[in-house]
Amino acid sequence: MFRTALRNVLAHKARLLMTVLAVMLGVAFVSGTLVFTNTISDAYQKSSQKGFTGVDVAVQPHKQDSDKSNPGAAPRLSQSLLDQVAKVPGAASATGSVNGFAAVADKKGKLAGEGFNSSGANYYPGADGKDPRYPLKSGRAPHGAGEVALDEKTADRAGYKVGDTVRISVDGPVLPQKLTGVFTTDDGNVSAGGSLALFDTATAQKLYGKPGEFDQIDVKAAAGTSQAALKSAVEKVLPKDTEATTGKQLADDEAKIIAQGMDGMRTSLLVFAGISLFVGVFIIANTFTMLVAQRTKELALMRAVGASRRQVTRSVLIEAFVVGSVAGVAGLLAGIGIGAGLRGLIGGTGATVPDGPLVVSPGTVVTSLVVGVVVTMLAAWLPGRRAAKIPPVAAMNSVHAVATTKSLVVRNSIGGVLTALGAAVVLTASSSTMMGLGAALVLIGVFVLTPLISRPVIAAAAPVLRLFGMPGKLARQNAVRNPRRTAATASALMIGLTLITGLTVIAGSVQQAIDKMATGSLKADYVVSMAGMTPLSTDVAKKLSAHPDVTAASPLRGSPSRIDGGHEQLTGVNGRTIGKLTNLDFTAGSFGGLTGDKVVVDDATARTKHWKLGSSFPVTFEDGKQGRLTVSGVYKGNDLMRGIMVDLKTLTPHQSQVDDRQVMVKTKGGVSDSTEDSLRKALGDNPAIQIQTKQDISDGISKAISLLLNMLYGLLAMAVIVAVLGVINTLAMSVFERQQEIGMLRAIGLDRKGIKRMVRLESLIISLFGGVMGVGLGVFFGWAAGDLIRKGISTYELVLPWGRMGVFLLLAALVGVLAALWPARRAAKLNMLAAIKAE
């Protein structure tokens, strides 16, 4: 049986080629994902580990032990503590670190670096006057206010040399700094394309609101002292609100964080690889069903001479094993190329990834081979089992075994139950997991029902097909002749288009909801914030309020508090002007009473806390002082505006460090380029400051959604490509199977053009059938997901992207046309006499 299986594989190389390609693409997606994510993760982990080479023990605040009665309390690392730690037995040196945001403008006035990775720190010289963390390549270390050092990559990218004046912003105001030095660093953020600016310690502490204090103290062990021993020694001098961690533990923790971050990307990519493989299952099952059908007499003869059912099934599975092994190896090699290509592609987009080798782990190799073999064998098992159950006598008398009425009734019953159950789960889903489970059940149920659905749907196309004469009529009959095969072929395309359409419907609806939210909840013409959403200096609000074109302005200022035993964020606003800048819908009260101890709260918080107009509650402010606040208004919150709002005059005295999240501005002339330019100039033409209109905020979110959607389109394109291979494979094997019939049609007068048209129309019908099913299911899932999304976005409403759905149907038609090119040409070239005599 093994020799027979190998002979059959070699005898049907061309017919199995599309199956090999389909499996190979899926395996390549899997192996490419694993290679890419392992390579990136390894590069970042090694880069991160380099950053801890000079740290044997790190002293950090232990926030869990902060004063429970004081919500804003944070442990402090003082200079005296650093001096104590430096004298600990076994410590060679101790370095204090101060970190924060620092945006660097290049010579063209644009922001250098990647926004979130624009960071600042302190240069802490040792006894030799050097900071071993940042070796200077040129110049000297910064001394005093007005001096800065930049990392080498940022200096080159921005075009700066030692002696130039660099425009830097930490929290809003532009700080002209003299560039005194350029240094090298193993900092992972810099390796990833960010920027790092160094100030002297006193300047950094002042800029980041921590005079005389540090964020972390790094201790280097003396020769012969282990990290564990040094940690024990350091812990003896630490106050209760701080903790010591070994450098190895820090590196391990960082590696775990990086690995967890990559796990999310890896899982997402593997989901799409799984979709491609799932679509490939239809192709494999179709191919082996047709191969088995063509060899029915051969298998029956084997049964007649003594082969058992198991041996017949085993023969088919051996064929599948060989095909899966070949596809697995080819997919692994292709995946390695994909992984290398993706890494290069990231570099081509301007993003920077730390250097490192391409990582092809044993796990990747094993996974790729196992996936290829297992998927192929599982898909081939059912056709093999079905072939083994055909009685030898019946098989010898008929080339094709007709499905019994009982089997069709059972299939349709199972499909109906699965579809109904899945639809019920989708419609009642309370989480995305349940929604996904229900969607999977619906897809499987519809696939099982597709043979039943195909006949009436394809029959509906009969009036159009009559326009093509006899080829059109024959194409329709061929499409419904074998409903199971048509179903399997169309379902492969259906799955891809279902996901694409569903995502498009949801994305379009979310975009409109956000646009409605932005335009509906804001009266402000502009919202001013820092790049990366870092704290904004209060000087920005003062300058904007004093601007002649500004009629109203209010900062949004966050401060932690404790209410009813839990942590709550208070938002400080200008009680006199906030009503002119927002357009919130109040269910009770208004902004009119927002002064003193009065607050306004969103409806969700009010329901949770059981508050209503006039409710009074105790509060512990950031500085630990206690007071009472009274609800003077309840408004409908949304993703842009929610929480407890209190007047700035009440909140600010309790804050240890006063800064804003953003500033809302209303101007005389409304939104215009001249007004925006005027505001930008008033803020020093700072590239780190964002001045956004309501439309800018909406567009920014929409662009992010569009970018994500385009990425998903790219990932789902693999499933569509596999579906195209399925249509080609089915048509090609169908042409081979119908050689006698095609020869007879040629003999009675149907010319080659008619044969080509017949095959092309058959392909077009099957593809459009899959397209219509896919678009319909996608719209259903997009509509059903609305209830879940509406819980987070109250303005969500279903938006049907008619234009894009039309494009998807055209795509399905194009798939049908392209897939039929080779099979149609092959059918037309058949020699009619040879075809008539073919077995």
Side-chain angles (χ1 to χ4, degrees):
M1 296 304 293
F2 181 74
R3 287 197 301 271
T4 302
L6 288 180
R7 187 205 65 192
N8 285 326
V9 171
L10 296 174
H12 303 127
K13 293 189 290 292
R15 293 183 229 172
L16 289 169
L17 177 61
M18 294 299 174
T19 302
V20 171
L21 284 174
V23 179
M24 185 197 77
L25 286 174
V27 172
F29 206 153
V30 172
S31 60
T33 295
L34 295 175
V35 169
F36 172 67
T37 53
N38 288 342
T39 297
I40 299 298
S41 179
D42 182 71
Y44 273 111
Q45 285 181 15
K46 287 181 178 176
S47 175
S48 173
Q49 287 170 358
K50 289 180 182 177
F52 294 109
T53 52
V55 181
D56 291 309
V57 171
V59 177
Q60 300 168 315
H62 192 359
K63 293 183 180 180
Q64 287 83 353
D65 290 339
S66 61
D67 185 357
K68 299 299 182 184
S69 64
N70 185 351
R76 308 295 185 184
L77 304 180
S78 64
Q79 181 67 48
S80 61
L81 177 60
L82 188 149
D83 294 338
Q84 281 183 280
V85 170
K87 296 175 183 177
V88 165
S93 63
T95 303
S97 298
V98 183
N99 302 287
F101 176 81
V104 179
D106 62 20
K107 287 195 171 182
K108 296 180 181 179
K110 296 182 178 180
L111 190 64
E114 299 294 327
F116 279 99
N117 292 328
S118 299
S119 54
N122 67 312
Y123 188 91
Y124 193 92
D128 58 356
K130 298 179 181 179
D131 189 333
R133 300 173 300 174
Y134 310 113
L136 288 167
K137 185 177 181 181
S138 61
R140 61 171 177 81
H143 297 297
E147 294 188 351
V148 70
L150 291 178
D151 69 90
E152 181 184 9
K153 292 184 179 179
T154 299
D156 289 343
R157 187 166 53 240
Y160 288 122
K161 295 181 180 179
V162 172
D164 289 345
T165 298
V166 182
R167 296 172 74 243
I168 290 180
S169 178
V170 170
D171 59 0
V174 175
L175 306 172
Q177 304 281 302
K178 180 181 178 181
L179 182 62
T180 64
V182 175
F183 60 90
T184 59
T185 178
D186 292 322
D187 188 293
N189 285 333
V190 173
S191 298
S195 62
L196 178 59
L198 296 181
F199 309 93
D200 75 335
T201 298
T203 302
Q205 289 173 330
K206 182 179 179 182
L207 288 173
Y208 297 120
K210 301 166 185 173
E213 298 169 358
F214 300 97
D215 294 311
Q216 182 172 303
I217 297 174
D218 299 329
V219 191
K220 188 167 180 59
T225 304
S226 67
Q227 290 189 354
L230 180 61
K231 176 176 178 283
S232 299
V234 168
E235 285 176 335
K236 294 177 181 178
V237 302
L238 295 183
K240 66 176 182 179
D241 56 0
T242 56
E243 62 182 352
T245 310
T246 64
K248 183 180 183 306
Q249 184 62 51
L250 287 175
D252 291 344
D253 291 344
E254 187 75 12
K256 287 180 182 177
I257 293 172
I258 293 170
Q260 288 172 357
M262 296 308 297
D263 281 346
M265 180 190 295
R266 183 183 294 115
T267 301
S268 300
L269 291 173
L270 287 177
V271 165
F272 289 97
I275 292 169
S276 297
L277 286 167
F278 184 61
V279 171
V281 165
F282 294 106
I283 299 176
I284 301 165
N286 241 6
T287 302
F288 277 93
T289 298
M290 295 165 76
L291 286 174
V292 167
Q294 291 165 15
R295 287 168 26 217
T296 303
K297 286 187 177 181
E298 176 189 327
L299 294 174
L301 183 60
M302 291 171 60
R303 289 287 313 282
V305 297
S308 66
R309 287 186 177 183
R310 285 187 178 182
Q311 285 179 311
V312 171
T313 304
R314 196 178 304 143
S315 172
V316 176
L317 291 179
I318 290 171
E319 288 183 56
F321 176 81
V322 174
V323 171
S325 298
V326 172
V329 172
L332 172 62
L333 296 176
I336 293 172
I338 290 172
L342 285 174
R343 177 172 175 168
L345 183 63
I346 286 182
T349 61
T352 307
V353 178
D355 295 330
L358 197 67
V359 178
V360 184
S361 67
T364 299
V365 176
V366 172
T367 300
S368 301
L369 296 177
V370 168
V371 165
V373 171
V374 170
V375 168
T376 309
M377 291 183 70
L378 282 176
W381 175 76
L382 190 59
R385 183 170 175 270
R386 192 183 299 137
K389 292 174 69 176
I390 299 173
V393 175
M396 287 182 178
N397 290 331
S398 176
V399 174
H400 304 293
V402 180
T404 63
T405 303
K406 180 182 177 183
S407 69
L408 292 175
V409 170
V410 170
R411 177 182 179 124
N412 294 336
S413 299
I414 293 173
V417 170
L418 288 174
T419 304
L421 180 61
V425 173
V426 166
L427 294 173
T428 59
S430 58
S431 67
S432 57
T433 302
M434 284 185 65
M435 177 68 70
L437 176 62
L441 287 173
V442 169
L443 281 173
I444 295 171
V446 169
F447 164 66
V448 176
L449 284 174
T450 305
L452 178 67
I453 301 170
S454 64
R455 287 185 178 275
V457 174
I458 293 175
V464 177
L465 292 173
R466 287 197 195 102
L467 300 175
F468 296 94
M470 186 55 65
K473 182 178 180 180
L474 291 172
R476 182 181 65 80
Q477 291 174 348
N478 289 334
V480 297
R481 178 188 297 183
N482 192 329
R484 289 187 177 184
R485 183 186 303 167
T486 298
T489 307
S491 294
L493 188 59
M494 177 191 75
I495 291 170
L497 288 182
T498 295
L499 296 171
I500 289 174
T501 304
L503 290 170
T504 303
V505 169
I506 292 171
S509 302
V510 168
Q511 284 180 351
Q512 178 172 289
I514 290 170
D515 186 60
K516 188 183 294 185
M517 187 188 301
T519 55
S521 62
L522 291 177
K523 289 182 185 176
D525 295 318
Y526 296 99
V527 176
V528 180
S529 61
M530 283 291 287
M533 299 307 294
T534 54
L536 193 66
S537 170
T538 55
D539 289 343
V540 172
K542 291 176 183 176
K543 288 181 179 180
L544 291 172
S545 297
H547 194 283
D549 290 337
V550 173
T551 59
S554 174
L556 267 66
R557 187 173 299 168
S559 178
S561 70
R562 184 174 290 277
I563 298 172
D564 293 340
H567 286 283
E568 293 288 343
Q569 188 79 0
L570 298 177
T571 299
V573 297
N574 187 325
R576 293 180 295 104
T577 61
I578 189 65
K580 301 175 183 178
L581 298 164
T582 59
N583 193 28
L584 297 176
D585 185 11
F586 276 80
T587 58
S590 67
F591 277 126
L594 188 57
T595 182
D597 63 351
K598 303 293 193 298
V599 299
V600 296
V601 300
D602 67 283
D603 50 352
T605 301
R607 283 194 302 270
T608 303
K609 301 289 186 183
H610 304 292
W611 293 340
K612 57 183 179 180
L613 195 66
S615 295
S616 179
F617 56 89
V619 59
T620 301
F621 291 101
E622 181 180 336
D623 60 356
K625 294 183 180 179
Q626 297 182 343
R628 291 193 72 82
L629 298 175
T630 303
V631 176
S632 64
V634 179
Y635 64 92
K636 292 182 179 179
N638 55 53
D639 283 354
L640 294 179
M641 302 288 291
R642 64 173 56 182
I644 304 172
M645 296 188 196
V646 59
D647 188 60
L648 289 171
K649 292 180 180 178
T650 303
L651 184 65
T652 304
H654 297 288
Q655 292 185 279
S656 57
Q657 182 176 339
V658 182
D659 47 43
D660 300 323
R661 292 201 304 266
Q662 58 188 39
V663 180
M664 293 185 292
V665 178
K666 186 79 173 172
T667 58
K668 292 178 182 176
V671 174
S672 68
D673 292 340
S674 59
T675 302
E676 184 176 336
D677 288 340
S678 177
L679 295 177
R680 199 172 292 281
K681 287 179 181 178
L683 298 176
D685 286 323
N686 189 342
I689 290 183
Q690 300 179 117
I691 301 178
Q692 296 177 296
T693 64
K694 290 180 284 189
Q695 193 59 49
D696 289 337
I697 295 171
S698 178
D699 289 347
I701 299 172
S702 295
K703 284 179 182 177
I705 293 173
S706 296
L707 178 62
L708 177 61
L709 191 61
N710 289 334
M711 289 174 61
L712 295 176
Y713 283 166
L715 294 170
L716 287 171
M718 184 70 75
V720 175
I721 291 171
V722 173
V724 172
L725 291 175
V727 179
I728 296 172
N729 202 24
T730 300
L731 288 173
M733 299 189 76
S734 180
V735 166
F736 178 83
E737 190 179 77
R738 302 198 316 252
Q739 285 186 83
Q740 283 186 330
E741 177 186 315
I742 292 170
M744 289 296 297
L745 289 171
R746 288 291 313 282
I748 61 176
L750 192 63
D751 60 10
R752 291 187 175 184
K753 286 186 178 179
I755 295 292
K756 283 184 179 180
R757 189 173 297 139
M758 177 187 73
V759 175
R760 287 171 182 166
L761 288 172
E762 180 183 350
S763 175
L764 188 62
I765 294 168
I766 293 172
S767 297
L768 280 175
F769 172 55
V772 169
M773 294 288 292
V775 170
L777 285 173
V779 170
F780 169 71
F781 291 139
W783 168 77
D787 288 337
L788 279 180
I789 299 172
R790 206 170 286 111
K791 293 177 182 178
I793 306 176
S794 59
T795 53
Y796 182 89
E797 291 180 2
L798 181 69
V799 175
L800 294 180
W802 294 106
R804 290 205 178 189
M805 289 193 296
V807 170
F808 297 154
L809 289 176
L810 287 175
L811 174 65
L814 181 62
V815 165
V817 172
L818 294 177
L821 290 177
W822 178 58
R825 188 162 174 262
R826 182 182 177 190
K829 290 176 68 177
L830 285 175
N831 182 290
M832 67 178 76
L833 294 178
I836 290 172
K837 290 190 290 184
E839 285 291 333

